[in-house]
Amino acid sequence: MDTSIQRIVVPEHQRMATVNHTFGLLWPLYVEPLIFYLADSLAPRYNGGLWTFYSLILPEDDAGFYIAPDIDANFDVVCIGNGWDGTLTADALGITCSLMAYSQLSFSKRQALGSLMAQHYHRLRAFMLDHPEAQAILGATD
């Protein structure tokens, strides 16, 4: 039995329905703005743009979600909080920012928000461990 997490691109016409199903109003109020803020803070060369939305799927289960800049570029990243600096692809930057946002929001005093973000953090982290840039992402997020 295959238990690996698969990543699929969310088609543009399904983005709003996907984030509404996954996060509801938490997406525009908390999650998306924090991810964009983190990208801007961590990667000085990041200057906005389109992002790709990904659903993470386990066999017969919705396993998670993340977004990444839709650009074929590498970003120099500086993490002031833990002293890590290095280079990440756009996909790895998106995973890093999504993980950081989920982690920060998991400590919310709003129990429903904190619980949902903790679930998404652990699902994305499990996927990330098989990513080619896993060690760099771990360095940036730990």
Side-chain angles (χ1 to χ4, degrees), residues 59-117:
E60 313 217 5
D61 184 24
D62 178 9
F65 180 85
Y66 80 97
I67 61 175
D70 188 5
I71 184 171
D72 185 17
N74 293 324
F75 293 92
D76 293 326
V77 173
V78 178
C79 300
I80 295 171
N82 68 8
W84 185 87
D85 67 85
T87 302
L88 298 174
T89 62
D91 188 58
L93 177 64
I95 291 171
T96 299
C97 293
S98 296
L99 282 169
M100 288 179 164
Y102 296 157
S103 176
Q104 287 181 28
L105 293 170
S106 74
F107 293 99
S108 172
K109 291 181 181 178
R110 296 181 59 200
Q111 188 174 18
L113 172 61
S115 177
L116 180 63
M117 293 303 114

Side-chain angles (χ1 to χ4, degrees), residues 3-7 23 54-58 62-67 82 91-92 94-104 106-107 116-142:
T3 59
S4 64
I5 300 173
Q6 302 299 313
R7 172 182 85 164
F23 300 102
Y54 296 99
S55 286
L56 302 176
I57 309 295
L58 273 166
D62 178 9
F65 180 85
Y66 80 97
I67 61 175
N82 68 8
D91 188 58
I95 291 171
T96 299
C97 293
S98 296
L99 282 169
M100 288 179 164
Y102 296 157
S103 176
Q104 287 181 28
S106 74
F107 293 99
L116 180 63
M117 293 303 114
Q119 290 172 17
H120 278 281
Y121 173 86
H122 290 291
R123 291 169 179 172
L124 179 54
R125 190 174 189 285
F127 169 77
M128 176 277 302
L129 291 173
D130 287 331
H131 193 277
E133 295 173 82
Q135 290 304 309
I137 296 167
L138 285 169
T141 58
D142 287 345

